[in-house]
Amino acid sequence: MATVQWYSRVRNYEAELQVCRLESVPVEFGDYHPLKPITVTESKSRRGGRKGSTSSSSSSSSSAAPDPLSSMLDGTDPLSLFAAASASEAPALSHAAGSGELGRKRKEKEEEGAVGLDFEPWSAKRGEILARFTTTEKLSINLFMGSDKGKAPSPGSAVSEKVRTRLEELDDLEEGSQREMLNLSQQDYVNRIEELNQSLKEAWASDQKVKALKIVIQCSKLLSDTAVIQFYPSKFVLITDILDTLGRLVYERIWSMCSDSRLLPDSFSVDDVNDTAKETCLNWFFKIASIRELIPRLYVEAAILKCNRFLSKTGIQETLPRLTAMIRGIGDPLVGVYARAYLCRVGMEVAPQLKDSLNKNFFDLLGSFRQIHGDSVQNQLVLQRVEVPVYLTLYSPAINWTLQCVSYRAPEALLTEMMERCKQIGNNALLLNSVMWAFRAEFVATRATDFISMIKDCDEAGFPKHLLFGSLGRSLACADPPESERLPILNEAWRVITKVRSPQDYISCAEIWVEFTCRHFTKREVNTVLSDIIKHMTPDRAFEDAYPQLQSVIRKVLTYFHDFSMLFSMERFLPFLDMFQKDSVRVEVCRSIMEVFIKYARPFILNALLHVCKTMHDSVNALTLDDEKRSLALLINGFIRMVSFGRDFEQQLSFCVEARATFCNLEPVMVQLIHTVNQLAMETRRVMRGSHSRKTAAFVRACAAYSFITIPSLSSIFSRLNLYLLSGQVALANQCLSQADAFLKAAVSILAEVPRSISVEGKLRSSEGFLLDFVNNFLSTLLVVPDHPEQGVLYLVRGLLNMVQDYTWEESSDAKVRVYVSALPLLSAMSQETYLYSIAKVDSNETLYGGDPKFLAEINKLCETLIGQVLDHLKTLGTNEGVRRQGSLAFSLFGCLLAHGDLRNNRLNQLSVNLWNLSHKHGYCDTRTSVRTLEYIKHQGQQPNMSHFSDMVQRLSLQSRA
């Protein structure tokens, strides 16, 4: 082993700190400040300047440097620049729609009743309808099997010939070239409709427009089929998707033909449309007019209704009443009501300001209700074995949508008239239900008593009253009725709800009214409601089929009751929680409770929440995913952090002891508990300082014992290491020296257990970096740890270095010697008369040894041993594969000697020069770092009594790799 004599540099930490502090300069009020806004004045002289011009593009009101964003964009912000560029590229558009013009048009559009964000779109209802209206019956579909006449005609064909050919192809479709596909399941039916939608797009893309139209006509015909009546609303959704696709394709094609030079803006007028586009548009309407059957002709024309804009300013306004009148010819009331819903849907998209047609559709719909009770419909229901209440629910999506369109931003007078017209029909619960669904919640809430009277007059057999009260409850959850009416409304509603026999029907309605109860009443009324729910859902374990609704009840209660002392004082709250007996659902409910608790942190009932957290903890087993464990631990840790017993520290520690036994399967929770106890120890010392010192010391020792017992139960080696170190630091800060000593020795003793690799976020990574970080942290702590009187000088430092020596490092690793290099600054700091930092009321080695020569000799001897180990390792790195590592390690040791060694010693000075030259021998050192290091040495050489630096810098040279 190479030998070298070590001498630590004498440090004056206070003087060094003063040198390193930045110089403070007084700033006048008007001077530049980084947060002060910069005023930029645009200069137009640069607009036409040549490249390289030095003319300034902006000037500032102060002497500060110009704003980089402003300078990059010549004083113009990015949005303004983009707008200017857009204006220069499209002068016609910008001229036609100036800022004032846009504002005026936007105001006019709003006044016309344009659809806004407050209108729920059809897309939001589509998925719900498909999920709600399903069937297990077999379905059928008509497939087009005609010849391939839909291909594009040759370019030389006359226009009249093209038209005649296409009309013949449409006739071919309607004259029997079809085949019925039978015995389809619901999923097969949906797949086939999706295939037809895709075929439509492919036909259109290949310029087979007639074939595309044939597909749409074929699909539209299916809307006249009510063979499997329960599936009709879903069929309507699927087929109108295809109609929407056609409408979009036709409109985009004609719009693209309107001008040769540029596309038209959305606000175009008929005068902007050229003759070619008008002729093409007219041809489409002629094709549709040739469709013989009413339903496909009606639906397809409605699908391309927007195209009337290309032909006439009043085309849409004239077409809507005609299509509305055509629907009167549909005999089946269910088919008719959905046809009206589609027409209203298209009307709201293309001309929402035309309210008269929407209103006419609704009033015509009212007139057709007598058909529902006619013999034709009743015979059909008997044939398909469908009950009247089930049949009536099929109307709900169409009527709800129609009413939504009609009532959107409608005046109070119109809504009142519509409500009165519904009354005149008499005993029509279906209409009443749709009115409550579609009308503004405020309108319904202010007339809640009137609606309850109408509900009472309805016949229970046709449409269950609990459904009506459910619809009323949804409105009252969004708007408040008059305060004087709230209790009578709740009593009337619950009088009906509590009589519902079916548990599923009962909970579906009760879950809605829970929000009204929580919103307007106290815990007494809520407790009564919960008691009634328990009464209905407990027999025959009916709650097992209603977990989603019961979870919704809990969420609503938690939304309005954040005071957990009040919540858990409800007599029926915990019995309500007992109904969640399925593990996954119970954990989810507990999770909801803890999220609210953590969010609001109100006073709480500790035992109840411990029970909730224990439920989540007990759901963990060997199959639980790590992500789920982390999620549960996060919630439980949030609860633990919120628990506070004020200055009753013993009670707080008792809670942590109980929590340790309760949550032993979640390691992150155990880690949190140890952190909590360490914080408790520090808080105790802070609060009780100067009083009851003996009692305080005993309590701190109890906290240390808690951590010392708990840490070994952790599986993560680095969690144990870090917590041993942290607990030792806490004990040291509280003058519990024997406990601190035990923690630090325990940390040293388990270093050998650190594996070569650990799992980090599911991936194996080398543990070397984590271990080096821990050791460096440990070394910084050892500066203030006094030696044990019975263990010898520097026993913890020696113990740590011995463990590092014996640890099995990777073969190609320099980690061990890097630890040795890191230990040198610690040993140098230990040799100073005054330590860099200390702990109050703890005598470190500086006080115990007082600069004793024997102590300093031990430090120097240990430093020499470590340097010798590093130098021996450097010799082994002389091969081609190790020269880069050799240079890096040599430079690290050079920096350590420069900062902490006394380089007035010639041998140490020469060693430093040799290390510098070795680190630069192969040119792998960072040149910038080397230059800055040389500048530092030169600067130090200019200080008093630092001439040895000046001599040394002459022997240091920079070399580059060949």
Side-chain angles (χ1 to χ4, degrees):
M1 179 189 296
T3 58
V4 64
Q5 195 170 3
W6 170 265
Y7 296 92
S8 295
R9 181 163 68 91
V10 178
R11 308 289 294 274
N12 187 334
Y13 294 118
E14 184 61 31
E16 292 180 22
L17 179 62
Q18 293 298 330
V19 171
C20 294
R21 280 177 176 163
L22 295 176
E23 181 182 1
S24 59
V25 178
V27 180
E28 296 295 334
F29 179 76
D31 287 354
Y32 165 73
H33 187 276
L35 298 181
K36 184 177 179 181
I38 298 173
T39 303
V40 179
T41 305
E42 182 179 359
S43 175
K44 296 184 179 180
S45 61
R46 190 172 176 177
R47 289 289 182 183
R50 67 184 185 275
K51 183 177 181 181
S53 173
T54 59
S55 60
S56 174
S57 64
S58 63
S59 61
S60 174
S61 61
S62 69
S63 61
D67 178 20
L69 294 180
S70 299
S71 62
M72 287 294 292
L73 295 171
D74 295 335
T76 307
D77 67 273
L79 296 180
S80 300
L81 189 70
F82 177 76
S86 301
S88 63
E89 292 174 4
L93 288 179
S94 61
H95 176 74
S99 59
E101 184 73 8
L102 282 175
R104 183 181 63 79
K105 289 186 176 182
R106 186 180 298 111
K107 185 176 180 181
E108 290 178 355
K109 191 173 183 181
E110 291 175 354
E111 291 175 351
E112 290 173 352
V115 175
L117 296 177
D118 55 336
F119 183 82
E120 186 178 14
W122 173 257
S123 58
K125 300 179 180 295
R126 182 183 178 279
E128 180 186 349
I129 296 173
L130 290 174
R132 180 182 174 190
F133 297 97
T134 59
T135 184
T136 57
E137 301 287 333
K138 294 300 181 181
L139 303 164
S140 63
I141 191 171
N142 292 328
L143 298 176
F144 168 63
M145 299 298 294
S147 60
D148 198 15
K149 296 180 182 179
K151 291 184 177 179
S154 60
S157 302
V159 175
S160 59
E161 182 65 24
K162 293 180 184 177
V163 173
R164 183 161 54 256
T165 301
R166 291 178 177 177
L167 291 176
E168 288 175 356
E169 290 171 350
L170 292 177
D171 289 340
D172 176 63
L173 173 67
E174 298 193 79
E175 290 175 358
S177 57
Q178 304 176 62
R179 177 170 64 86
E180 191 172 28
M181 195 170 185
L182 304 174
N183 297 323
L184 295 175
S185 67
Q186 177 180 315
Q187 188 58 50
D188 293 336
Y189 189 95
V190 172
N191 293 340
R192 183 54 188 153
I193 293 295
E194 291 176 352
E195 290 173 7
L196 288 171
N197 200 350
Q198 186 61 33
S199 298
L200 163 63
K201 296 175 184 178
E202 293 173 356
W204 190 272
S206 59
D207 204 29
Q208 300 182 59
K209 305 298 187 296
V210 172
K211 180 179 179 181
L213 181 58
K214 287 180 180 180
I215 293 173
V216 177
I217 294 172
Q218 171 193 8
C219 294
S220 301
K221 286 184 176 183
L222 297 176
L223 290 174
S224 62
D225 177 21
T226 57
V228 183
I229 203 165
Q230 304 99 311
F231 187 64
Y232 191 86
S234 292
K235 180 197 292 187
F236 170 81
V237 169
L238 296 170
I239 292 175
T240 52
D241 284 348
I242 295 179
L243 288 161
D244 293 342
T245 299
L246 177 72
R248 176 177 55 81
L249 292 173
V250 173
Y251 182 85
E252 290 176 353
R253 172 171 170 77
I254 300 173
W255 183 64
S256 65
M257 298 170 62
C258 288
S259 178
D260 298 330
S261 58
R262 58 180 175 81
L263 296 177
L264 290 181
D266 289 336
S267 58
F268 71 88
S269 65
V270 177
D271 298 333
D272 298 322
V273 182
N274 58 28
D275 293 339
T276 303
K278 289 181 179 179
E279 181 181 357
T280 302
C281 183
L282 204 56
N283 285 339
W284 273 101
F285 283 108
F286 284 156
K287 292 174 190 176
I288 294 169
S290 68
I291 301 174
R292 296 170 184 172
E293 296 185 25
L294 170 62
I295 289 178
R297 184 169 72 251
L298 170 70
Y299 271 102
V300 178
E301 185 173 359
I304 68 166
L305 178 67
K306 191 176 180 180
C307 294
N308 280 281
R309 292 183 61 193
F310 300 111
L311 300 177
S312 169
K313 294 180 180 179
T314 60
I316 295 176
Q317 185 176 354
E318 295 168 355
T319 304
L320 274 174
R322 176 171 57 81
L323 295 178
T324 300
M326 286 173 61
I327 297 176
R328 298 173 187 169
I330 298 176
D332 191 310
L334 184 65
V335 177
V337 76
Y338 276 93
R340 294 190 186 281
Y342 185 68
L343 188 58
C344 289
R345 182 173 131 204
V346 174
M348 286 296 289
E349 291 176 359
V350 303
Q353 72 277 9
L354 300 178
K355 303 290 188 182
D356 291 342
S357 295
L358 296 172
N359 299 343
K360 186 63 176 174
N361 263 293
F362 172 70
F363 293 126
D364 281 359
L365 183 150
L366 294 182
S368 67
F369 262 90
R370 60 180 180 273
Q371 295 176 270
I372 294 177
H373 303 288
D375 293 340
S376 176
V377 171
Q378 297 302 316
N379 293 337
Q380 184 182 25
L381 297 183
V382 171
L383 183 64
Q384 297 195 34
R385 299 177 181 177
V386 176
E387 299 292 334
V388 172
V390 175
Y391 173 70
L392 291 178
T393 60
L394 303 179
Y395 285 82
S396 296
I399 298 177
N400 291 349
W401 175 259
T402 303
L403 279 168
Q404 178 184 327
C405 296
V406 174
S407 63
Y408 180 66
R409 293 183 181 175
E412 292 283 323
L414 177 60
L415 297 180
T416 304
E417 179 188 356
M418 294 168 64
M419 184 175 170
E420 292 300 323
R421 292 281 290 270
C422 292
K423 284 184 181 179
Q424 294 173 8
I425 295 179
N427 193 31
N428 200 314
L430 173 63
L431 261 180
L432 181 60
N433 187 64
S434 295
V435 166
M436 290 186 290
W437 262 92
F439 280 20
R440 291 192 295 269
E442 295 79 10
F443 181 89
V444 177
T446 55
R447 298 165 178 79
T449 304
D450 294 338
F451 277 100
I452 288 177
S453 299
M454 288 187 284
I455 292 173
K456 289 181 177 180
D457 295 337
C458 291
D459 184 7
E460 182 78 19
F463 201 95
K465 288 185 179 180
H466 71 269
L467 294 180
L468 297 174
F469 273 104
S471 299
L472 177 62
R474 287 188 182 91
S475 296
L476 298 183
C478 301
D480 299 333
E483 187 173 355
S484 60
E485 299 178 7
R486 292 172 187 174
L487 185 57
I489 289 172
L490 179 62
N491 290 333
E492 289 289 346
W494 213 262
R495 190 175 292 115
V496 172
I497 296 170
T498 194
K499 293 179 181 178
V500 178
R501 294 183 178 180
S502 167
Q504 193 63 41
D505 291 341
Y506 166 83
I507 192 60
S508 297
C509 192
E511 173 252 327
I512 297 170
W513 279 89
V514 164
E515 182 164 4
F516 179 79
T517 309
C518 294
R519 185 169 177 165
H520 299 296
F521 298 97
T522 64
K523 71 172 186 177
R524 176 176 173 270
E525 288 78 12
V526 175
N527 190 67
T528 302
V529 170
L530 295 180
S531 177
D532 194 67
I533 294 176
I534 295 171
K535 176 183 174 182
H536 280 78
M537 303 307 296
T538 301
D540 300 325
R541 300 178 66 87
F543 54 78
E544 293 182 343
D545 298 322
Y547 283 138
Q549 292 86 352
L550 294 175
Q551 284 180 272
S552 177
V553 171
I554 284 292
R555 284 194 294 268
K556 290 174 180 177
V557 172
L558 293 172
T559 299
Y560 293 95
F561 289 86
H562 304 149
D563 188 337
F564 275 60
S565 61
M566 178 185 295
L567 186 64
F568 285 104
S569 66
M570 288 185 195
E571 182 183 355
R572 308 306 293 167
F573 185 74
L574 288 178
F576 188 90
L577 293 181
D578 288 339
M579 287 195 294
F580 296 99
Q581 297 187 11
K582 185 178 180 181
D583 289 344
S584 59
V585 179
R586 185 169 65 250
V587 171
E588 192 63 32
V589 171
C590 293
R591 188 195 301 264
S592 300
I593 295 173
M594 292 310 303
E595 286 173 350
V596 173
F597 167 71
I598 292 170
K599 181 177 180 181
Y600 294 99
R602 296 286 193 264
F604 55 89
I605 303 300
L606 185 60
N607 290 335
L609 286 181
L610 266 177
H611 172 74
V612 169
C613 290
K614 186 177 187 302
T615 300
M616 294 192 293
H617 168 270
D618 291 348
S619 69
V620 175
N621 54 45
L623 300 179
T624 305
L625 298 177
D626 289 341
D627 286 344
E628 179 68 11
K629 289 181 181 178
R630 280 192 292 268
S631 177
L632 294 176
L634 188 64
L635 291 172
I636 297 174
N637 284 344
F639 162 66
I640 291 172
R641 286 192 293 269
M642 294 294 180
V643 173
S644 174
F645 291 89
R647 293 197 175 188
D648 190 348
F649 300 123
E650 293 183 356
Q651 185 65 27
Q652 188 91 21
L653 182 59
S654 297
F655 165 77
C656 291
V657 172
E658 182 180 356
R660 178 176 60 188
T662 304
F663 308 124
C664 58
N665 290 334
L666 287 174
E667 185 159 309
V669 179
M670 305 300 285
V671 172
Q672 176 62 46
L673 286 171
I674 297 171
H675 281 289
T676 301
V677 170
N678 280 324
Q679 292 170 0
L680 184 61
M682 295 301 295
E683 182 68 10
T684 304
R685 174 65 65 178
R686 184 186 67 81
V687 172
M688 304 300 291
R689 182 178 300 163
S691 60
H692 308 290
S693 58
R694 185 173 300 177
K695 183 178 179 181
T696 302
F699 181 79
V700 172
R701 287 195 293 270
C703 291
Y706 178 97
S707 299
F708 198 79
I709 293 171
T710 309
I711 292 173
S713 67
L714 304 177
S715 61
S716 170
I717 182 66
F718 281 104
S719 293
R720 279 184 279 155
L721 284 170
N722 290 319
L723 287 172
Y724 272 133
L725 178 57
L726 174 64
S727 300
Q729 292 168 342
V730 170
L732 199 62
N734 285 279
Q735 300 98 50
C736 296
L737 301 184
S738 60
Q739 284 76 13
D741 196 65
F743 280 119
L744 297 178
K745 283 197 295 185
V748 172
S749 67
I750 66 170
L751 279 176
E753 300 177 19
V754 176
R756 298 276 289 275
S757 60
I758 58 174
S759 177
V760 179
E761 296 181 352
K763 298 181 179 178
L764 282 179
R765 291 180 54 185
S766 172
S767 63
E768 191 173 279
F770 299 97
L771 183 55
L772 284 177
D773 288 342
F774 169 78
V775 170
N776 287 332
N777 191 4
F778 194 94
L779 287 170
S780 66
T781 302
L782 291 181
L783 177 63
V784 293
V785 178
D787 284 340
H788 194 285
E790 299 177 359
Q791 300 291 337
V793 178
L794 302 176
Y795 81 102
L796 277 175
V797 177
R798 295 180 187 277
L800 175 64
L801 295 176
N802 287 336
M803 293 300 297
V804 170
Q805 175 70 28
D806 296 337
Y807 183 76
T808 306
W809 300 91
E810 296 181 11
E811 293 182 1
S812 59
S813 170
D814 302 323
K816 180 171 67 174
V817 291
R818 289 195 177 277
V819 172
Y820 295 159
V821 173
S822 298
L824 292 174
L826 167 67
L827 295 170
S828 176
M830 283 183 165
S831 67
Q832 305 300 318
E833 291 186 5
T834 303
Y835 282 3
L836 179 60
Y837 46 85
S838 60
I839 295 178
K841 297 183 180 181
V842 174
D843 292 333
S844 302
N845 285 341
E846 61 175 334
T847 303
L848 295 181
Y849 296 109
D852 185 88
K854 293 182 180 180
F855 176 66
L856 298 179
E858 287 291 333
I859 291 176
N860 292 340
K861 183 178 179 181
L862 185 55
C863 288
E864 292 164 6
T865 302
L866 294 177
I867 294 175
Q869 291 280 354
V870 177
L871 294 178
D872 287 346
H873 183 73
L874 286 173
K875 292 178 182 179
T876 66
L877 299 177
T879 60
N880 293 334
E881 293 79 6
V883 290
R884 183 186 291 272
R885 290 163 51 201
Q886 184 188 58
S888 174
L889 185 59
F891 194 80
S892 296
L893 182 55
F894 168 80
C896 182
L897 297 180
L898 181 65
H900 303 284
D902 186 356
L903 299 187
R904 284 182 292 233
N905 179 272
N906 292 332
R907 295 181 62 183
L908 204 57
N909 191 300
Q910 184 58 48
L911 174 61
S912 300
V913 172
N914 293 342
L915 289 170
W916 171 278
N917 293 333
L918 178 62
S919 65
H920 289 75
K921 180 177 180 180
H922 300 284
Y924 286 114
C925 268
D926 180 64
T927 303
R928 180 177 299 178
T929 303
S930 300
V931 170
R932 295 182 64 181
T933 303
L934 282 176
E935 291 175 353
Y936 167 79
I937 299 173
K938 291 177 182 178
H939 176 74
Q940 290 295 102
Q942 297 172 2
Q943 306 301 317
N945 300 321
M946 292 290 184
S947 58
H948 56 284
F949 278 113
S950 300
D951 297 335
M952 185 178 73
V953 77
Q954 302 300 324
R955 294 178 288 159
L956 303 180
S957 60
L958 292 175
Q959 298 181 16
S960 59
R961 188 172 61 173

